[in-house]
Amino acid sequence: MTAPSPEEQRGPRRIYANDAIEVHWEPKLCIHTRNCVRGLGQVFDPRARPWIDVDAADPAAIAAAVVTCPTGALHFRRRDGGPQEEPQEETTIDPRPNGPLFVRGQVRILGAEGQLIREDTRLALCRSGGSENKPFCDGSHLQNGFATDD
């Protein structure tokens, strides 16, 4: 039996697309910070099915909302020749009060044996120890009473 690939380890990915843009959503990485909903509620509506409507705004606005997702659960690919997402030039780590580490930049997560787990531009890493999706945050810090001094 072979180890699952990084793609397989991520779990299902859903793609919402039109001729101008694709929005990729990985539920396993989503911790419901709701940046997308607050930024562009007509596109990202968790009460609607499907919850992402790529026809409800122009592709530039959708791309701008997607890059506010701190976990990497949302990504986009422009199909209309518009600019693609670029990683931050400098890698930054932002410890969230009582929550995960938000990481931005060109990040590679390697396993104990050096195997690639994930390469991404935005990640939320668990620091509470409670995640069922380690090293990624799954929001369990909200239930397990995790608290920080920062």
Side-chain angles (χ1 to χ4, degrees):
M1 178 178 209
T2 60
S5 71
E7 272 303 308
E8 294 166 326
Q9 289 175 351
R10 289 181 194 164
R13 174 186 296 193
R14 296 188 180 99
I15 300 173
Y16 305 87
N18 61 21
D19 291 340
I21 193 166
E22 291 177 0
V23 175
H24 298 238
W25 179 51
E26 291 183 67
K28 190 172 183 178
L29 295 177
C30 187
I31 60 171
H32 309 289
T33 61
R34 299 178 55 88
N35 289 2
C36 58
V37 174
R38 284 189 304 276
L40 204 58
Q42 71 268 32
V43 172
F44 302 96
D45 182 354
R47 298 171 309 230
R49 293 296 174 263
W51 82 279
I52 298 175
D53 179 1
V54 294
D55 294 320
D58 70 81
I62 294 170
V66 165
V67 297
T68 69
C69 173
T71 68
L74 289 173
H75 282 282
F76 72 88
R77 184 175 74 85
R78 294 288 295 264
R79 301 170 84 181
D80 62 356
Q84 303 298 336
E85 180 179 354
E86 294 291 330
Q88 264 186 204
E89 200 168 297
E90 180 180 41
T91 300
T92 60
I93 300 173
D94 178 17
R96 303 307 303 156
N98 305 321
L101 299 172
F102 286 167
V103 183
R104 284 187 174 254
Q106 190 59 48
V107 181
R108 291 173 46 94
I109 304 290
L110 302 177
E113 297 176 16
Q115 76 279 17
L116 179 65
I117 294 174
R118 185 169 184 97
E119 187 166 9
D120 210 329
T121 57
R122 294 173 277 116
L123 296 168
L125 299 178
C126 176
R127 64 180 177 151
S128 74
S131 177
E132 295 292 323
N133 190 28
K134 289 182 190 88
F136 309 107
C137 177
D138 68 359
S140 60
H141 59 276
L142 298 171
Q143 283 77 42
N144 69 14
F146 178 71
T148 62
D149 293 333
D150 53 352

